[in-house]
């Protein structure tokens, strides 16, 4: 019994030792978070001193280092051109590590340049490394105590670099720092420049709600300075922003200002489209205030009338179709029918045979609602003639005619 126990214990010890040995020989998992290559601190032959030496370079040392780094950039570009992306970024990373010895601005500009290449090459790790380094530089720059000490060119470069790594939030943070300073400096030209940059960033990322107050301020500045061209541009931007964010009242405010400007400048070609948009917004608001339907009717009619006068028959047809739909939604069948008959003429002027066919179908449906079957039959027959020419929807019109014929009209 004792011998058996000794054997069991010995076996257990051997098994345990074998497990320990196996675990010790087990390969280590790969490093899931490899070090940022931009933070490597090993010595470099191009450096006159070790990286840990924080003394600034002398003018002579800078004059030697700068062309050497430019040469590294060219070498990396040649590697990329030859298809060796790995080697290219190894060289660029070396260049970027050394650029910091030329100052933050030079480093950020180089980071921005390489970031654009990394993004285009879909090199996510490289983009991440550069973003981390940019954030480190930003943190250091934020340690400045007063706005007078802030390097505006550095912050502008940070903003552009963040755009190149597709980090809009960080880019806006950088540009807001610049905006704060130029406001305090009372530099209106710079304020407008930075506001436009921030607004474009928001729009490029479809962040319309954040873009709105930016363009409202730009509009206010342009209006106060009598800059009519810029005023129109910002109004157009705001009109699109408020349409995208489904804010009909704000959209109306902007569109009505635009319409007033165009009328004063006798620029009637823009009026039909504007009036269509204005009418559509009134129609949306009328869901809560039915009295606004009158404004919707009025603006659809003005859109149609102006387009007709300008001989823009396609636009006139669009306006009339909107007006017909509104008539029908309000149960005004007679008015919808009269407008539909005018629509046929407009589509004929535009040589839009498909539009004519649809108009005849609409007329037929309206006559059916009024139970005026002979007139409905005539409309569907005219629609069929056009359908046969177009070789489109012939079966539909034939079916409508057969239904009416079976009713013993």
């Amino acid at each position: 019994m004792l011998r058996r126990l000794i054997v069991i214990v010995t076996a257990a010890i051997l098994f345990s030792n074998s497990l320990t040995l196996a675990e010790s020989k087990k390969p280590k998992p790969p490093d899931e978070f490899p070090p940022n290559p931009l933070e490597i601190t090993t010595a470099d032959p191009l450096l006159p001193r070790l990286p840990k030496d924080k003394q600034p370079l002398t003018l002579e040392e800078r004059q030697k280092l700068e062309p050497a780094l430019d040469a590294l950039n060219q070498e990396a570009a040649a590697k990329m051109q030859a298809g060796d992306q790995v080697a290219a970024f190894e060289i660029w990373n070396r260049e970027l590590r050394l650029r910091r010895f030329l100052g933050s601005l030079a480093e950020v500009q180089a980071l921005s340049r390489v970031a654009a290449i990394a993004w285009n090459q879909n090199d996510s790790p490289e983009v991440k490394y550069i973003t981390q380094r940019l954030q480190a530089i930003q943190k250091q720059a934020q340690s400045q105590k007063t706005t007078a000490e802030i390097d505006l060119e550095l912050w502008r470069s940070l903003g552009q670099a963040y755009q190149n790594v597709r980090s809009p939030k960080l880019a806006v943070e950088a540009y807001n720092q610049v905006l704060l300073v130029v406001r305090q400096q009372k530099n209106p030209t710079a304020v407008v420049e930075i506001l436009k940059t921030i607004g474009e960033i928001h729009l490029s990322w479809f962040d319309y709600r954040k873009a709105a107050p930016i363009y409202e301020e730009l509009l206010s500045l342009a209006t106060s300075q009598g800059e009519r061209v810029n005023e129109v541009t910002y109004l157009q931007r705001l009109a699109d922003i408020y349409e995208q964010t489904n804010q009909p009242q704000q959209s109306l405010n902007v569109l009505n200002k635009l319409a007033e400007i165009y009328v004063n400048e006798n620029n009637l070609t823009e009026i039909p489209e504007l009036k269509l948009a204005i009418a559509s917004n009134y129609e949306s608001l009328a869901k809560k205030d039915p009295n606004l339907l009158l404004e919707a009717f009025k603006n659809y009619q003005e859109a149609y009338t102006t387009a007709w006068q300008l001989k823009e028959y396609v636009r006139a047809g669009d306006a009339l179709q909107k007006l017909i739909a509104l008539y029908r939604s309000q149960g005004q069948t007679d008015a919808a029918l009269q407008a539909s008959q005018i629509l046929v003429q407009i589509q004929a002027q535009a040589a839009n045979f498909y539009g004519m066919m649809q108009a005849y179908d609409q007329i037929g449906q309206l006559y059916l609602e009024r139970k005026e079957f002979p007139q409905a039959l005539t409309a569907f027959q005219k629609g069929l003639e056009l359908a046969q020419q177009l070789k489109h929807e012939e079966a539909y019109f034939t079916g409508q005619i057969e239904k009416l014929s079976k009713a013993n009209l």
Side-chain angles (χ1 to χ4, degrees):
M1 183 69 177
L2 180 59
R3 182 179 297 174
R4 183 180 179 188
L5 181 60
I6 293 172
V7 171
I8 292 173
V9 171
T10 303
I13 293 172
L14 291 173
F15 179 70
S16 175
N17 289 339
S18 66
L19 283 177
T20 303
L21 183 60
E23 288 177 359
S24 66
K25 292 183 178 180
K26 185 177 180 180
K28 293 183 179 181
D31 189 353
E32 294 181 7
F33 303 99
N36 187 334
L38 302 182
E39 302 296 342
I40 295 173
T41 57
T42 54
D44 190 288
L46 291 178
L47 275 181
R49 296 185 235 108
L50 293 176
K52 63 182 179 181
D53 187 349
K54 295 183 179 180
Q55 292 297 319
L57 300 182
T58 64
L59 177 60
E60 183 181 358
E61 289 170 339
R62 290 177 64 92
Q63 289 175 342
K64 289 182 179 179
L65 184 59
E66 286 178 358
L69 297 185
D70 291 340
L72 284 180
N73 176 36
Q74 294 175 1
E75 182 184 351
K79 290 286 186 182
M80 180 64 75
Q81 185 70 25
D84 193 346
Q85 181 171 326
V86 173
F89 280 112
E90 286 179 353
I91 298 169
W92 269 316
N93 286 335
R94 181 189 176 199
E95 178 211 346
L96 295 175
R97 287 195 297 271
L98 296 173
R99 283 284 178 187
R100 71 175 64 185
F101 290 91
L102 298 177
S104 295
L105 178 59
E107 182 184 1
V108 169
Q109 290 173 341
L111 287 165
S112 182
R113 163 172 49 81
V114 178
I117 299 169
W119 180 267
N120 289 332
Q121 296 298 320
N122 199 28
D123 193 328
S124 299
E126 185 69 21
V127 171
K128 183 185 73 171
Y129 299 144
I130 291 174
T131 304
Q132 290 173 347
R133 180 57 193 157
L134 289 170
Q135 289 177 294
I137 296 171
Q138 178 180 342
K139 185 176 180 180
Q140 182 181 1
Q142 285 171 333
S143 65
Q144 300 289 351
K145 294 182 180 180
T146 66
T147 55
E149 297 173 344
I150 289 176
D151 186 339
L152 289 182
E153 190 175 0
L154 172 62
W155 281 95
R156 283 192 176 95
S157 296
L158 276 169
Q160 182 59 60
Y162 281 134
Q163 284 183 264
N164 286 349
V165 295
R166 305 306 191 271
S167 294
K169 182 178 178 181
L170 294 173
V172 170
E173 286 180 8
Y175 287 122
N176 275 333
Q177 188 69 51
V178 177
L179 184 61
L180 177 65
V181 176
V182 295
R183 284 191 197 279
Q184 293 178 352
Q185 293 175 345
K186 300 185 185 303
N187 186 340
T189 302
V191 168
V192 170
E193 173 199 346
I194 298 302
L195 284 173
K196 286 169 66 176
T197 300
I198 293 173
E200 288 166 4
I201 291 172
H202 287 317
L203 287 184
S204 66
W205 289 88
F206 309 106
D207 197 342
Y208 297 107
R209 293 195 179 276
K210 288 184 180 178
I214 300 298
Y215 282 101
E216 286 285 5
E217 183 176 354
L218 284 168
L219 173 63
S220 177
L221 291 171
T223 303
S224 65
Q225 294 169 10
E227 298 175 349
R228 182 53 55 86
V229 174
N230 287 333
E231 185 180 3
V232 169
T233 298
Y234 301 140
L235 284 168
Q236 290 170 338
R237 288 287 178 88
L238 283 166
D240 182 57
I241 287 168
Y242 290 132
E243 180 184 355
Q244 294 291 340
T245 53
N246 192 27
Q247 299 184 69
Q249 185 57 64
Q250 288 85 341
S251 181
L252 273 175
N253 297 339
V254 170
L255 292 170
N256 280 319
K257 287 179 183 178
L258 268 176
E260 183 181 350
I261 291 173
Y262 288 140
V263 169
N264 290 338
E265 294 179 348
N266 199 32
N267 184 6
L268 299 182
T269 56
E270 303 290 340
I271 295 301
E273 184 175 0
L274 270 179
K275 290 293 182 179
L276 277 172
I278 290 171
S280 178
N281 282 298
Y282 274 122
E283 197 172 347
S284 295
L285 291 171
K287 294 173 183 177
K288 293 183 178 180
D289 184 0
N291 294 326
L292 294 176
L293 273 178
L294 292 175
E295 291 295 330
F297 277 117
K298 172 187 171 185
N299 281 279
Y300 279 135
Q301 289 168 344
E302 289 179 0
Y304 156 69
T305 302
T306 306
W308 176 265
Q309 291 172 348
L310 295 171
K311 297 183 179 181
E312 294 183 0
Y313 300 119
V314 173
R315 190 67 54 79
D318 292 340
L320 202 53
Q321 188 62 64
K322 293 281 188 181
L323 190 58
I324 292 166
L326 190 54
Y327 280 137
R328 295 187 73 174
S329 71
Q330 299 304 303
Q332 300 182 35
T333 308
D334 290 348
L337 186 56
Q338 292 174 7
S340 296
Q341 290 166 339
I342 296 172
L343 181 60
V344 172
Q345 300 173 25
I346 291 175
Q347 301 292 23
Q349 288 283 354
N352 183 357
F353 299 112
Y354 181 79
M356 289 176 65
M357 181 188 72
Q358 288 184 312
Y360 277 124
D361 177 38
Q362 190 165 249
I363 291 171
Q365 296 296 336
L366 288 166
Y367 275 127
L368 284 177
E369 290 179 18
R370 290 161 52 119
K371 300 190 183 303
E372 296 179 9
F373 302 118
Q375 292 89 333
L377 178 61
T378 300
F380 287 130
Q381 287 172 335
K382 291 180 178 179
L384 176 60
E385 292 175 7
L386 289 164
Q388 289 171 336
Q389 294 178 33
L390 296 169
K391 299 187 184 304
H392 183 70
E393 295 191 0
E394 297 172 65
Y396 166 77
F397 283 100
T398 300
Q400 294 291 332
I401 292 168
E402 288 177 353
K403 288 179 185 178
L404 288 168
S405 300
K406 290 178 181 178
N408 298 319
L409 299 179

